[in-house]
Amino acid sequence: MQVSELQLLPTLPEIFLALAGMALLLIGVFQGNGSTRQVSWLVVASLAVTAILVLMGGHGGRVVTMRGLFVTDGLAVFAKVFILMGSAIAVIMSHDYLRREDMQRFEFPLLVLFSTLGMIMMVSANDLISLYLSIELQSLALYVVAAFRRDSQSSTEAGLKYFVLGALSSGLLLYGASLIYGSTGTTNFDAIGLALSRADSLPIGVIFGLVFLVAGLAFKVSAVPFHMWTPDVYEGAPTPVTALLALAPKFAAMILLLRVMTAPFGLATQDWQPIIVLISIGSMLLGAFAAINQRNIKRLLAYSSIGHMGYALIGLAAGNEGGMRGVLIYMAIYVFMSAGTFACVLSMRRRGRLVEEITDLSGLSKTHPMMALGLAIFMFSMAGIPPLAGFFGKLYVFLAAIQAGQYTLAVIGVLSSVVGAYYYLRIVKVMYFDEPVDQLDRPIARDLGWVQFGTAAVTLLFFVYPGPLFTYAEAAARALFPS
């Protein structure tokens, strides 16, 4: 491990993205809303360049800089690439929507960019202070984009609910951080871990602080019982924003949760493991049963995402390197499945208006056969049916739970998957066996078509060449358990 006081090179991707955001903000201000599409593509290009910088600087092992506030390692590199990719896909998917809904304002892609900056800082946080600041940078931009459609009551309500509950979660997180600081005398992850290793038993202040810290982070991944914002925000927010929420922020928050639980509190695994197990079980069960009666596809996907976070948390509950690898594989696959699904949802228009009811998919295989095929692939994958990518995600977290002796957790996960398969297969049934009521608009926007094709190809053909993802995920997980 290299330790540097103020080395700027490891932070080059974040510095570049911040400078690019400020430069694009000036372009938008001087050229007005007519530059929205140009700014959007420049944001996508900036995210791509940032990903390249992340990969170029990711071969130096673990480097701690900024006086211990910032760390870059295999886990951070792995997470940043997928976060940047998820955000870029969300911006691309927003192009057609913003044009059709007369919402072409240059601020939208820039808010996504600054939110993404917060996300990639989150996964490199090595201190409770940098953790909080990066979460707030991400969250403040997301609060605004959730309410971006100002003439829509549902969008405004979604943004307000997200803001109020997000502020509550930030308060819980800060209170937990203050308790941990009061008990250990430091906010640095490495120093906290050192302090706890010297203690005979875990101080009571750290135990309570850890509970509040987990509560604040569980809100960010919409895990039970901190999920209450998810269905309303998913339904009310503009659909590209819903897609963004499903892709990048949850990935970033899950990685941050892994780092927090293993870096400073790795020696307290027996203390926090029961909490994660309960959150995981609650999320899986709620995601499986609450989605059954949903008629709005965005609300269904909201409950589905809660369930998926529960499955991912199985790997964290296992508490070992195999479990962390399973989480990383699961979240990486989830990015592709969610991106493709939301690209299909954004393509559901009738007479120029976006439709979101499951019944609107009736007979889709007859009117839009390729879109129906793509959506069927995503639904089967989310259900965990082999040999699609989603099967491998669940397989690895379940195996990790079994290897750690968490048999009950694995059994509940399998049973929840069986229940959840019902509402995924119901969508396939509506598309292929119901008669079309009223045909959806054609053609599909080119941007959305390419996203659907690319993500469907990855989801369908993942089993052909899964090696690279497994290799990189294993290396990233190993960074959490340095020898």
Side-chain angles (χ1 to χ4, degrees):
M1 179 184 73
Q2 301 178 37
V3 180
S4 173
E5 287 294 306
L6 287 172
Q7 186 178 349
L8 293 179
L9 194 59
T11 65
L12 184 59
E14 286 78 8
I15 292 173
F16 169 79
L17 195 58
L19 293 175
M22 288 185 280
L24 294 177
L25 181 61
L26 291 176
I27 292 174
V29 168
F30 285 113
Q31 295 189 3
N33 290 330
S35 64
T36 301
R37 191 170 181 86
Q38 176 191 1
V39 171
S40 292
W41 281 113
L42 288 173
V43 165
V44 172
S46 300
L47 295 173
V49 172
T50 305
I52 293 171
L53 293 174
V54 168
L55 292 171
M56 289 174 59
H59 303 291
R62 187 173 190 264
V63 180
V64 180
T65 186
M66 296 295 171
R67 301 188 185 277
L69 294 172
F70 187 95
V71 61
T72 181
D73 54 14
L75 178 68
V77 171
F78 181 92
K80 288 176 186 180
V81 169
F82 280 95
I83 290 167
L84 292 162
M85 180 174 61
S87 297
I89 292 173
V91 173
I92 291 170
M93 289 195 296
S94 71
H95 290 161
D96 182 67
Y97 181 92
L98 296 178
R99 178 182 62 82
R100 287 175 177 267
E101 302 295 326
D102 196 24
M103 291 170 53
Q104 285 192 304
R105 294 193 289 276
F106 70 89
E107 293 94 337
F108 182 89
L110 288 173
L111 286 166
V112 175
L113 183 148
F114 286 117
S115 176
T116 307
L117 175 61
M119 294 177 215
I120 62 174
M121 290 172 62
M122 281 170 60
V123 298
S124 283
N126 195 50
D127 190 286
L128 293 173
I129 302 300
S130 57
L131 176 152
Y132 175 72
L133 291 175
S134 57
I135 285 178
E136 289 307 297
L137 175 58
Q138 173 221 251
S139 299
L140 289 173
L142 292 179
Y143 299 150
V144 178
V145 293
F148 201 74
R149 189 168 184 175
R150 293 174 293 183
D151 59 349
S152 169
Q153 182 178 346
S154 60
S155 178
T156 305
E157 183 181 344
L160 184 60
K161 285 182 178 178
Y162 194 24
F163 170 71
V164 172
L165 293 172
L168 174 63
S169 76
S170 295
L172 293 173
L173 193 146
L174 278 177
Y175 185 58
S178 66
L179 289 174
I180 293 168
Y181 173 70
S183 299
T184 62
T186 181
T187 57
N188 181 266
F189 288 175
D190 298 328
I192 291 172
L194 184 61
L196 296 181
S197 67
R198 293 172 176 172
D200 296 330
S201 61
L202 204 63
I204 190 70
V206 172
I207 295 175
F208 277 98
L210 189 55
V211 170
F212 282 104
L213 198 66
V214 170
L217 294 175
F219 173 90
K220 302 303 179 184
V221 297
S222 65
V224 171
F226 309 100
H227 65 282
M228 63 289 292
W229 62 274
T230 314
D232 292 333
V233 174
Y234 266 52
E235 182 181 13
T239 306
V241 177
T242 309
L244 174 66
L245 291 172
L247 298 177
K250 287 192 176 183
F251 196 109
M254 185 63 72
I255 300 303
L256 180 59
L257 192 57
L258 297 186
R259 192 182 291 282
V260 170
M261 292 296 100
T262 53
F265 302 109
L267 296 175
T269 302
Q270 299 300 320
D271 296 281
W272 55 255
Q273 200 172 42
I275 302 173
I276 302 299
V277 168
L278 289 176
I279 291 175
S280 175
I281 291 173
S283 300
M284 289 187 293
L285 293 178
L286 181 85
F289 288 98
I292 290 176
N293 290 324
Q294 299 302 319
R295 297 293 177 262
N296 183 286
I297 193 167
K298 287 169 68 176
R299 286 188 74 87
L300 183 145
L301 290 172
Y303 285 109
S304 168
S305 73
I306 294 170
H308 283 294
M309 294 305 105
Y311 297 127
L313 286 170
I314 291 176
L316 176 58
N320 53 32
E321 187 175 319
M324 305 306 164
R325 181 188 63 174
V327 176
L328 298 176
I329 293 171
Y330 197 99
M331 294 304 297
I333 291 170
Y334 180 71
V335 168
F336 289 103
M337 296 189 300
S338 291
T341 303
F342 278 101
C344 293
V345 174
L346 280 163
S347 301
M348 292 168 53
R349 288 186 175 273
R350 182 171 290 129
R351 291 182 287 276
R353 297 180 63 84
L354 202 65
V355 292
E356 298 171 355
E357 297 299 310
I358 295 174
T359 52
D360 293 314
L361 292 168
S362 297
L364 190 68
S365 62
K366 300 178 180 65
T367 58
H368 295 72
M370 296 308 296
M371 178 178 163
L373 176 62
L375 189 54
I377 290 171
F378 300 129
M379 293 300 101
F380 283 128
S381 182
M382 286 189 173
I385 295 174
L388 300 175
F391 165 76
F392 293 95
K394 290 184 178 179
L395 175 66
Y396 276 87
V397 292
F398 292 158
L399 286 176
I402 292 170
Q403 290 169 0
Q406 298 280 357
Y407 302 111
T408 303
L409 192 58
V411 170
I412 293 175
V414 172
L415 295 177
S416 299
S417 295
V418 174
V419 176
Y422 165 76
Y423 54 80
Y424 295 125
L425 298 180
R426 178 162 63 99
I427 293 177
V428 177
K429 175 258 180 188
V430 169
M431 292 191 299
Y432 279 90
F433 296 101
D434 289 6
E435 290 299 320
V437 179
D438 196 357
Q439 184 171 328
L440 297 179
D441 292 350
R442 302 184 70 166
I444 296 172
R446 183 178 300 176
D447 296 341
L448 295 175
W450 280 113
V451 172
Q452 291 176 30
F453 176 78
T455 52
V458 172
T459 305
L460 179 63
L461 302 176
F462 176 77
F463 73 95
V464 176
Y465 193 52
L469 178 61
F470 291 167
T471 302
Y472 293 136
E474 188 171 359
R478 200 177 301 123
L480 290 169
F481 298 92
S483 56

